[in-house]
Amino acid sequence: MKRHLIILSVLCLAAMTLRAQDTTAVRQDVRIRQNCDCGCHQHPVNDYDGLNSLRKRLANPSWDGYSSLFESIGTGLKVEDGKIVPLSKKSESSDTASPETSSETSVQGSVCHLKPYLQQMERGEVPIGAPVFIFFRLAGTYVTDSPQLLSVNAVADLAIAQNLRVRITGAADSATGSVEKNEAIAKARAEHVASLMKKRGVPDDQIEILSQGGTASYEPLAANRNCRIELYAE
């Protein structure tokens, strides 16, 4: 019994000693961290390229990730207090355009490039934007799938809201059927789409119906069984 008491006392004493050592180490570590304002690190610091790059990106949202942070990167930015910031009007030279000016010039250039097309579109000489295609099953006026009717309804609503002309051109697959039959099928498809748009509320005098007959413009061949819907300015 006495031996057990001695062993238990020794174990308790050892545990108390280890706990005192841990407390002392923690206190020393706290003192080291508090006295580390000078920049000298007394404890390990994560210092690798991936983390440094992340730190730079977080501190400089405009940084392109490649250019040096200690020189202007030549894209309308500059380094100020260790951060990349947009060039201010005061710091720009008289022969250097600001990012805002460059952006406006770019937009104006784009508009000038589109101006002939926009003028033709305004005069009703070319369609507005890309056409909408509706596809049909072989030798008939049944669409390949009913969700296509959503496109017909959307185009009809736009034509009504903006008072636009609608041109509907039917087509057939020239690989099947005679020329006369394909002409009739193409016209029937255009008339079918026109009837759907009229039910939607498009006035009859705003709809133009055309027949392209049999075509081989698209691959696969089934894609030639279509109606092309185009909108024009009045």
Side-chain angles (χ1 to χ4, degrees):
M1 183 67 178
K2 185 180 293 185
R3 178 182 295 178
H4 289 299
L5 290 175
I6 293 173
I7 294 174
L8 183 60
S9 299
V10 171
L11 290 175
C12 290
L13 181 61
M16 292 176 64
T17 302
L18 290 174
R19 183 172 181 179
Q21 290 177 352
D22 290 341
T23 302
T24 302
V26 169
R27 289 175 179 173
Q28 289 178 348
D29 184 63
V30 170
R31 286 197 299 271
I32 290 173
R33 290 173 181 269
Q34 290 176 344
N35 297 328
C36 197
D37 295 337
C38 62
C40 55
H41 296 286
Q42 300 295 328
H43 53 84
V45 176
N46 289 326
D47 187 19
Y48 59 94
D49 291 341
L51 182 60
N52 291 337
S53 176
L54 177 59
R55 286 170 176 163
K56 291 177 182 178
R57 290 180 184 275
L58 291 175
N60 302 275
S62 300
W63 183 40
D64 62 4
Y66 301 100
S67 303
S68 172
L69 286 175
F70 304 102
E71 60 183 11
S72 174
I73 63 176
T75 58
L77 303 176
K78 67 175 183 178
V79 176
E80 188 175 277
D81 297 330
K83 296 182 179 181
I84 292 181
V85 297
L87 283 170
S88 62
K89 292 184 178 180
K90 293 182 179 179
S91 63
E92 295 168 355
S93 61
S94 57
D95 58 347
T96 304
S98 66
E100 293 83 1
T101 304
S102 300
S103 177
E104 291 175 2
T105 303
S106 177
V107 171
Q108 290 174 357
S110 300
V111 171
C112 290
H113 178 70
L114 291 174
K115 200 169 184 180
Y117 167 71
L118 295 176
Q119 290 175 343
Q120 288 180 298
M121 187 177 66
E122 187 177 5
R123 293 193 298 263
E125 298 174 357
V126 295
I128 300 172
V132 174
F133 281 85
I134 306 298
F135 298 96
F136 295 85
R137 299 177 187 175
L138 178 65
T141 58
Y142 293 98
V143 295
T144 54
D145 52 274
S146 56
Q148 291 191 83
L149 301 180
L150 296 175
S151 298
V152 176
N153 293 340
V155 175
D157 292 344
L158 181 59
I160 295 170
Q162 301 299 326
N163 193 31
L164 302 173
R165 291 186 293 113
V166 183
R167 177 178 293 175
I168 305 171
T169 306
D173 175 15
S174 61
T176 58
S178 64
V179 174
E180 293 77 12
K181 186 175 182 179
N182 286 336
E183 182 69 30
I185 291 175
K187 185 177 180 181
R189 287 169 175 167
E191 290 175 342
H192 176 66
V193 173
S195 67
L196 294 175
M197 300 193 77
K198 290 175 185 178
K199 289 180 181 179
R200 191 72 177 179
V202 180
D204 185 72
D205 59 358
Q206 287 182 217
I207 299 177
E208 180 184 5
I209 298 175
L210 299 175
S211 174
Q212 193 174 355
T215 66
S217 303
Y218 305 105
E219 292 286 347
L221 296 177
N224 295 292
R225 306 163 194 158
N226 64 66
C227 258
R228 184 174 71 251
I229 308 174
E230 298 169 301
L231 295 177
Y232 288 81
E234 285 284 8

